[in-house]
Amino acid sequence: MSFLAALGFNYSCKNPKTVYLCRLAGVGDLLLIAPTIVALKKNFPKAQITFACKKGIYSDIIANDPNIDKFDFLDNGFYKPKSKNVIKYIIRKLGYWKNRFLYNIKYDLVIFFYNYSSEWNLRRHMIDQFSEKAGVKISERRPLLYLNKEDIFQGNELLRNLGIQEKEKFIVLGCETGIKGLAPDKHCPRTWNGFPELVKTIKQKYNIKILTLLPKSSNDGPLGTIRVKDEPTIRAGAAIIKRCALYIGVDCGLTHIASTFDIKLISIHFGPTEMYGSLSPHTKFFCYSENDKFIREGAFVNRIMAEIETSLAQIGLSQSVPDK
């Protein structure tokens, strides 16, 4: 029991027998924390590690982690919506600190990976900041996802039902996140309006199937793509991504999932990639802002298309309609 930590002092148990970690949400964040969990288990092999997050897609993404001994799946967690009412704010703040106190009493080492914190450095990648917060060094600077045989089977069954053969090459799109996407409570949805034009251009040049992975709360995705909704778990969707020839997505959880596999990946960002960029060595980044002249001129789509042509050529897929 860490009374000093519970009282707010800067104290950390050197040889903890119980470890409590908490990150309520964020598919990409949970994948980026996974290497830190590996390092904690290596440093404290006899410690029981408990991980807390919200139920649903977030608990699904970490459910197979062999380094986690116990899960604490939370419905609401510790963080409540902000309120301008002073009394409500004080009550919520006191409730938060009460939870922090109780957990520091119960566990030897408690680490809260805050959802939105002023502690984060916008110019340093989160995988490094997570490990530093836990006081460990990670062995490999890349997110981790654990798929079991059932996940692979479910992914293969989904593809088979869509008419995709075992060795057939296909593209996967990760079109959205935020309000309509994987995280409906995300404060800043990140979408790109160029996907319909990009899909149209690909279909004009290649005879290849394009899958769009979507949550049930989403729209149907770009015209001309095969919509994959409501897979049994997000890990089944990950198994689909693992088999694709090329993944194209915005800065979202699916893109971080893709970065755990050795597949070709195109990541479309709305700003610097230092904090949340894909860590896969197979990633090609395309960054823009709404004021970028490439958006108005359509040249941004052409730049991405040029990379797609290069990537597909490298895997032996030729254009069905040669360029004139």
Side-chain angles (χ1 to χ4, degrees):
M1 295 185 296
S2 178
F3 289 103
L4 290 175
L7 294 172
F9 290 95
N10 187 17
Y11 171 82
S12 180
C13 183
K14 293 182 179 181
N15 189 26
K17 295 181 180 179
T18 55
V19 178
Y20 188 87
L21 310 175
C22 179
R23 177 74 182 188
L24 292 181
V27 170
D29 294 315
L30 292 168
L31 297 174
L32 292 169
I33 289 172
T36 291
I37 302 174
V38 173
L40 283 168
K41 197 65 174 179
K42 182 179 179 180
N43 288 0
F44 312 116
K46 295 183 179 180
Q48 183 186 67
I49 296 180
T50 300
F51 197 98
C53 68
K54 288 184 179 180
K55 292 182 180 179
I57 191 172
Y58 307 115
S59 57
D60 284 344
I61 202 70
I62 64 169
N64 294 338
D65 193 324
N67 301 289
I68 298 175
D69 301 294
K70 186 178 178 181
F71 295 92
D72 186 11
F73 296 142
L74 307 172
D75 290 320
N76 297 316
F78 308 106
Y79 307 98
K80 303 295 183 181
K82 291 182 179 180
S83 173
K84 294 182 179 179
N85 185 299
V86 176
I87 295 177
K88 288 184 178 180
Y89 175 81
I90 293 174
I91 292 174
R92 288 169 179 170
K93 204 70 174 177
L94 289 174
Y96 166 77
W97 284 111
K98 181 195 75 172
N99 286 328
R100 289 295 302 269
F101 178 85
L102 293 176
Y103 278 98
N104 274 302
I105 291 295
K106 184 177 181 180
Y107 296 92
D108 295 330
L109 177 62
V110 178
I111 303 170
F112 286 77
F113 300 102
Y114 301 105
N115 280 0
Y116 303 108
S117 172
S118 59
E119 294 181 14
W120 303 132
N121 184 337
L122 299 180
R123 295 297 178 182
R124 297 190 64 248
H125 204 282
M126 288 306 300
I127 199 169
D128 301 315
Q129 298 190 65
F130 285 142
S131 63
E132 288 174 4
K133 189 166 186 64
V136 296
K137 292 184 179 181
I138 56 178
S139 58
E140 186 175 1
R141 197 171 174 270
R142 191 165 175 183
L144 293 172
L145 174 62
Y146 301 94
L147 300 182
N148 59 27
K149 292 181 179 179
E150 181 65 17
D151 301 326
I152 300 298
F153 174 79
Q154 291 174 346
N156 289 339
E157 280 294 290
L158 286 167
L159 291 174
R160 186 179 65 81
N161 293 335
L162 293 172
I164 295 179
Q165 304 301 315
E166 184 176 351
K167 295 185 179 181
E168 183 176 353
K169 295 179 175 65
F170 60 92
I171 295 172
V172 168
L173 301 183
C175 292
E176 59 185 46
T177 184
I179 294 174
K180 293 182 180 179
L182 297 177
D185 57 348
K186 189 177 285 292
H187 70 299
C188 54
R190 299 179 291 272
T191 58
W192 179 50
N193 295 328
F195 276 110
E197 182 63 27
L198 183 64
V199 169
K200 181 180 177 181
T201 306
I202 294 172
K203 301 294 283 186
Q204 287 174 344
K205 293 188 174 184
Y206 293 93
N207 181 23
I208 188 170
K209 293 175 183 174
I210 305 174
L211 278 59
T212 307
L213 299 190
L214 298 164
K216 56 186 176 183
S217 61
S218 173
N219 294 328
D220 283 339
L223 185 66
T225 66
I226 301 172
R227 291 80 160 178
V228 183
K229 286 189 177 184
D230 304 335
E231 61 267 8
T233 68
I234 190 174
R235 298 190 309 275
I240 290 176
I241 293 175
K242 185 178 181 180
R243 272 187 54 180
C244 76
L246 174 64
Y247 172 89
I248 308 168
V250 295
D251 175 21
C252 66
L254 290 178
T255 300
H256 285 290
I257 288 175
S259 72
T260 66
F261 306 124
D262 290 325
I263 60 173
K264 293 186 178 298
L265 192 158
I266 292 175
S267 183
I268 302 167
H269 275 253
F270 299 79
T273 62
E274 290 96 328
M275 190 175 185
Y276 273 111
S278 163
L279 291 172
S280 166
H282 311 291
T283 304
K284 177 68 175 180
F285 290 104
F286 290 89
C287 302
Y288 75 95
S289 68
E290 290 296 335
N291 296 323
D292 195 321
K293 67 178 181 179
F294 292 125
I295 303 300
R296 298 193 301 271
E297 297 173 357
F300 192 75
V301 170
N302 293 336
R303 288 168 57 195
I304 296 176
M305 191 62 210
E307 180 62 28
I308 292 173
E309 292 173 1
T310 299
S311 297
L312 295 182
Q314 290 174 347
I315 61 173
L317 189 66
S318 58
Q319 296 185 26
S320 57
V321 181
D323 284 336
K324 296 181 179 180

